[in-house]
């Protein structure tokens, strides 16, 4: 009878571990669902965000892009001039 009792005890121990693992799996699945199915890179695909929230893609005008480009070029020119001056 000792063997049967030991097997039942071992079975109870394994069932407890299975239950704990199932709980962890449920927690992970809930976290994935909460985060919106982020990929392995940690960045959610923008299309899925728009689908779930109903947001439209933000569009920048050509004039705004031109202003940003011009400002960026001016910043880099200033940086390169300072670097050349320091040499």
């Amino acid at each position: 009878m000792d063997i049967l009792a030991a097997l039942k005890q071992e079975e109870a121990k394994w069932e407890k571990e299975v239950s704990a693992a199932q709980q962890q799996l449920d927690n992970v699945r809930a976290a994935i669902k909460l985060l919106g199915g982020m990929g392995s890179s940690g960045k959610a695909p923008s299309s899925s965000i728009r689908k779930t929230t109903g947001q439209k893609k933000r569009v920048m005008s050509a004039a705004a892009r031109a202003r940003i480009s011009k400002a960026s070029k001016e910043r880099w020119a200033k940086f390169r001039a300072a670097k050349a001056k320091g040499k």
Side-chain angles (χ1 to χ4, degrees):
M1 281 304 235
D2 283 339
I3 294 174
L4 188 57
L7 286 174
K8 285 187 177 185
Q9 186 179 15
E10 195 67 24
E11 179 186 16
K13 185 172 77 172
W14 281 105
E15 284 181 1
K16 188 182 279 188
E17 286 191 32
V18 166
S19 176
Q22 185 65 43
Q23 182 63 36
Q24 284 182 334
L25 181 60
D26 291 342
N27 289 342
V28 168
R29 285 182 176 156
I32 289 171
K33 189 174 182 180
L34 183 71
L35 294 173
M38 286 188 174
S40 61
S41 66
K43 295 182 179 179
S46 58
S47 60
S48 69
I49 291 173
R50 278 185 261 123
K51 286 179 185 175
T52 57
T53 61
Q55 293 177 342
K56 292 185 177 181
K57 187 176 178 182
R58 297 167 84 182
V59 180
M60 195 180 306
S61 69
R65 284 194 305 272
R67 284 194 306 269
I68 291 171
S69 175
K70 182 180 176 186
S72 178
K73 288 176 183 178
E74 288 174 358
R75 279 192 299 273
W76 277 108
K78 185 177 178 181
F79 173 79
R80 288 186 185 109
K83 187 176 178 184
K85 188 176 183 180
K87 278 191 171 183

